[in-house]
């Protein structure tokens, strides 16, 4: 049994599980209004925090939209205070009806799609007199404000200033301009303001809130048009300011873009500590032309400093910083600085990219598990779902952090979410060679493929799709290895949907390519295993194999790889799958093919594993006298040789084959069958039962095979060899059931 680790986070909270179930059951729990929106048929009075959590859960699961958000029109039972509709497709009308009637304290509407604008949100919230005073935190990052569309109310334009209770406002990545900033800065209680990546050119308006503003995030203000002296004057007047982010995008093409900002930062660092005396946090990541001397002087003069952002400045390894143990730093000098950057810059792609590059270099020779680091990488990928640059480096970091046995020491839930993100990357960037390679490298792990739960159907489909259009030998080997394991785990009905097409997956082409030059390598073996698993109890896949001229190819492989038992077993295993399908048996009725298979059965020098599969093909084909189309003498010979050969086989200790079910054996165990056919079937059942008694004993019972075996042993015409082996199987099952029953009775709690 493989090592299992309890998740560090512990089991999921009952409340979380219940909310997830509500999300899954919305259709059953709701009726539909005339406008198509949902309404809960019956709802208790939710605890207020739980209503917030339900909305959050719907958002994170991606099911919040104009239809489902309708349940929150019921303000009495579902009372929202801290609402998040982040990245959800919600229209202005749905927002107005479902969220504006609530007495909100917080609203995160960042990156909402569906046509909802900042103006829609402001006017909607301002229409609720309670919201005008109650709302304290508002995030509109990534939205179009559409400021000009805001209408006047009683002669006064409705704006941010209408929301008098606001303490925190995020308008990063919006079309906020100087006029809007003027309105924002009239807010009487504004403490935190994020204007990053906006079109603002003047910061003079900040002087209006100089006594309240404590946090200012002004990352990448590329249109800023103020002199360093004027900027410093404004900053110096912000008497309450404790946290200043004046970082810049270091990937900027034009090196002159940030010169004013860089010079402002230089003067701030080298200036008097009386400038911004309350400052405890300064972020200047991405700023150029910063000297180590200036950093050293600034840090030494600010004893209260707790954070300094120095990523992509080139000075994060400054000597003075190493002595400041309580100072958190983003930079590239060590793992702590890089991880701090990944935590702090979650929404800033330029810094996430930079941090991931340094993390990759730091983890290239990782020798101990670092789950916290892996969480940060996954979080970075989730925060930037469309960024090729982020996924390119992040997938490489994932491989570094999960390679060899590192994954086995991490929680299963973390690995599941990691693999889900890798599959998302494969799906999002299907034509990017390196991203696909990184994902395949990480996936190609026995522990991950065997023990970690994830969407194996999606994984198999993505790898198969990739394989169909790429021929890189190294990646081909990995892809085929992954497929060979995954297809054995994918449910049969799902396999039927998308994995059955041999034309599509090019596995036959790989076999043909290798066979032409007589190569025996892992790619060939994995390809043969994958095809074997794809056709297991899958008639559609088996038929597809035949239509793709697979039989002709496999006949050649059987002959050319006569001395390679590992190859022969996989080839014969697939032919067994075909032989189990009655309507396809006619395709195997070729005299040369059956005589060759018969020669393998008879040859005592051939491994038992090869003779076993050869016997299976012949047993299935010869079991139906009415469908036999070749000479009767050949069938008679096959039946005689089957019995005689099987009686010489020694028991195999290693696991050679597994069965999804015993259904294909039922026709072979009928009393009317020849003894050779029956003997092969009972030998096969005995083989797998002796190797995995618990699994196959249960399968025998559930599928009615024990009754068939009992009937076979009781029938007067059954051969003694068949009876003997059948009795051993039944005895094995009985002993297991008796033992497991006794164990159960010993471990059951006694009444006190």
């Amino acid at each position: 049994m493989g090592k299992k680790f309890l998740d560090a986070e512990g089991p999921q909270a009952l409340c979380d599980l219940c909310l997830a179930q509500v999300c899954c059951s919305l259709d059953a729990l709701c009726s539909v209004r005339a406008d198509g929106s949902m309404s809960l048929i019956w709802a208790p009075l939710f605890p207020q925090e739980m209503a917030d959590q339900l909305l959050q859960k719907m958002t994170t699961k991606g099911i919040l939209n104009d239809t489902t958000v309708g349940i929150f029109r019921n303000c009495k039972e579902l009372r929202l205070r801290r609402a998040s509709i982040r990245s959800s497709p919600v229209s202005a009308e749905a927002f107005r009806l479902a969220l504006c009637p609530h007495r909100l304290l917080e609203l995160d509407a960042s990156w909402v799609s569906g046509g909802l604008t900042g103006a829609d949100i402001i006017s909607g919230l301002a229409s609720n007199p309670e919201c005008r005073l109650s709302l304290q935190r508002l995030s509109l990052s990534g939205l179009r404000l559409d400021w000009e569309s805001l209408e006047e109310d009683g002669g006064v334009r409705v704006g941010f200033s209408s929301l008098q209770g606001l303490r925190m406002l995020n308008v990063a990545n919006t079309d906020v301009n100087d006029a809007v900033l003027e309105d924002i800065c009239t807010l009487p209680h504004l403490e935190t303001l994020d204007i990053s990546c906006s079109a603002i050119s003047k910061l003079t308006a900040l002087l209006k809130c100089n006594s309240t503003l404590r946090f200012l995030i002004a990352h990448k203000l590329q249109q800023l048009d103020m002199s360093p002296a004027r900027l410093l004057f404004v900053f110096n007047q912000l008497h309450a300011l404790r946290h200043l982010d004046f970082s810049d995008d270091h990937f900027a093409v034009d090196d002159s873009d940030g010169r004013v900002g860089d010079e402002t930062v230089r003067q701030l660092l080298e200036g008097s500590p009386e400038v911004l005396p309350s400052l405890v946090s300064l972020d200047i990541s991405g700023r150029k032309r910063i000297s180590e001397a200036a950093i050293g002087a600034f840090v030494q003069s600010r004893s209260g400093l707790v954070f300094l952002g120095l990523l992509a400045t080139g000075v994060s390894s400054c000597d003075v910083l190493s002595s400041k143990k309580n100072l958190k730093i983003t930079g590239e000098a060590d793992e702590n600085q890089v991880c701090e950057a990944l935590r702090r810059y979650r929404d800033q792609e330029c810094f996430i990219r930079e941090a991931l590059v340094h993390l990759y270099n730091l983890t290239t020779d990782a020798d101990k598990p670092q789950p916290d680091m892996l969480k940060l990488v996954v979080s970075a990928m989730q925060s930037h779902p469309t960024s090729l640059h982020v996924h390119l480096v992040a997938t490489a970091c994932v491989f570094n952090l999960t390679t060899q046995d590192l994954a086995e020491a991490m929680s299963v839930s973390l690995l599941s979410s990691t693999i889900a993100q890798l599959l998302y990357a494969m799906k999002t960037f299907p034509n990017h060679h390196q991203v696909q390679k990184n994902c395949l490298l990480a996936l190609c792990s026995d522990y991950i493929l065997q023990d970690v739960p994830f969407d194996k159907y999606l994984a198999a489909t993505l790898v198969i799709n990739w394989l169909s259009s790429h021929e890189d030998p190294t990646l081909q080997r990995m892809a085929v290895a992954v497929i060979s394991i995954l297809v054995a785990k994918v449910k049969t009905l799902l396999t039927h949907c998308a994995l059955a097409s041999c034309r599509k997956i090019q596995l036959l082409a790989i076999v043909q390519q290798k066979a032409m030059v007589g190569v025996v390598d892992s790619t060939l073996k994995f390809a043969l295993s994958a095809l074997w698993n794809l056709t297991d109890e899958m008639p559609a896949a088996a038929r597809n194999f035949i239509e793709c001229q697979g039989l002709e190819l496999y006949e050649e492989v059987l002959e050319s790889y006569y001395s390679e038992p590992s190859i022969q077993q996989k080839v014969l295993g697939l032919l067994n799958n075909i032989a189990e399908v009655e309507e396809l048996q006619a395709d195997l009725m070729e005299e040369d093919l059956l005589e060759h298979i018969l020669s393998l059965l008879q040859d005592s020098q051939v491994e038992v594993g090869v003779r076993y599969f050869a016997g299976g093909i012949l047993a299935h084909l010869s079991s139906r006298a009415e469908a036999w189309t070749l000479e009767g003498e050949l069938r008679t010979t096959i039946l005689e040789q089957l019995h005689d050969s099987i009686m010489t086989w020694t028991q195999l200790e290693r696991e050679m084959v597994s069965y999804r079910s015993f259904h294909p054996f039922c026709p072979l165990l009928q009393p009317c069958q020849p003894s050779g056919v029956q003997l092969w079937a009972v030998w096969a059942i005995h083989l797998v039962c002796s190797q995995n008694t618990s699994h196959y004993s249960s399968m025998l019972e559930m599928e009615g095979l024990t009754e068939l075996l009992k009937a076979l042993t009781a029938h007067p015409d059954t051969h003694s060899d068949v009876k003997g082996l059948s009795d051993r199987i039944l005895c094995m099952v009985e002993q297991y059931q008796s033992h497991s029953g006794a164990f159960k009775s010993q471990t059951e709690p006694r009444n006190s």
Side-chain angles (χ1 to χ4, degrees), residues 7 94 111 178 224 285 307 417 447 509 535 551 601 603 611 618 669 719:
D7 287 358
W111 305 100
D178 294 346
L224 198 59
S285 290
F307 170 71
S417 61
Y447 175 73
T535 54
L551 278 178
L601 175 74
D603 192 343
R611 298 169 76 189
L618 298 174
L669 295 172
H719 195 285

Side-chain angles (χ1 to χ4, degrees), residues 508 542 544-558 571 574-575 578-579 584-590 593:
L508 276 173
N544 210 300
F545 175 87
I546 294 169
E547 291 171 356
C548 292
Q549 286 76 52
L551 278 178
E552 292 85 341
L553 173 61
Y554 268 43
E555 287 179 44
E556 294 174 12
V557 173
L558 267 180
V571 170
L574 185 144
L575 297 181
I578 296 175
L584 299 181
Q585 289 175 348
D587 291 279
L588 295 175
M589 290 292 181
E590 296 180 19
L593 174 62

Side-chain angles (χ1 to χ4, degrees), residues 213-216 238-245 268 273 275-284 298-299 301-309 324 326-329 340 344:
L213 195 65
R214 300 174 70 242
F215 294 77
L216 175 62
L238 303 179
H239 304 304
L241 197 67
R242 294 172 60 79
H243 305 267
L244 173 61
D245 180 346
L268 173 63
V275 177
L276 294 176
S278 301
L279 207 64
V280 297
S281 167
L282 176 65
D283 198 333
I284 51 175
F298 183 80
V299 170
S301 66
R302 307 273 176 156
S303 58
L305 203 64
V306 296
F307 170 71
L308 192 57
K324 302 292 182 179
N326 296 325
L327 180 62
K328 291 188 180 298
I329 302 166
E340 189 67 30
R344 293 208 178 230

Side-chain angles (χ1 to χ4, degrees), residues 107-111 118-119 121-122 137-145 147 160 163 166 168-177 180-185 187 190 192-200 206 216-219 221:
L107 173 65
D108 184 356
S110 300
W111 305 100
I121 291 172
I122 295 165
R137 301 173 66 85
L138 176 61
S139 182
L140 305 178
S141 181
L143 293 190
R144 184 171 67 91
L145 289 184
W147 183 254
F160 287 105
L163 306 172
L166 274 182
M168 188 284 290
L169 178 62
N170 180 354
V171 285
N173 303 286
T174 68
D175 52 343
V176 62
N177 55 31
V180 182
L181 184 61
E182 290 280 349
D183 178 68
I184 290 171
C185 290
L187 288 166
L190 187 64
T192 302
L193 177 62
D194 190 342
I195 53 174
S196 302
C197 305
S198 66
I200 288 172
L206 296 175
L216 175 62
I217 302 98
H219 165 73
L221 295 183

Side-chain angles (χ1 to χ4, degrees), residues 10 77 133 170 194 207 256 344 395 397 412-413 516-517 522 731:
E77 280 74 26
L133 297 175
N170 180 354
D194 190 342
L207 296 174
S256 65
R344 293 208 178 230
T395 51
C397 291
V412 173
S413 64
M516 283 175 62
V517 290
S522 57
C731 183

Side-chain angles (χ1 to χ4, degrees), residues 671-672 710-719 723:
C672 60
K710 288 176 182 177
L712 202 56
T713 57
H715 199 280
D717 295 335
T718 301
H719 195 285
K723 281 186 178 182

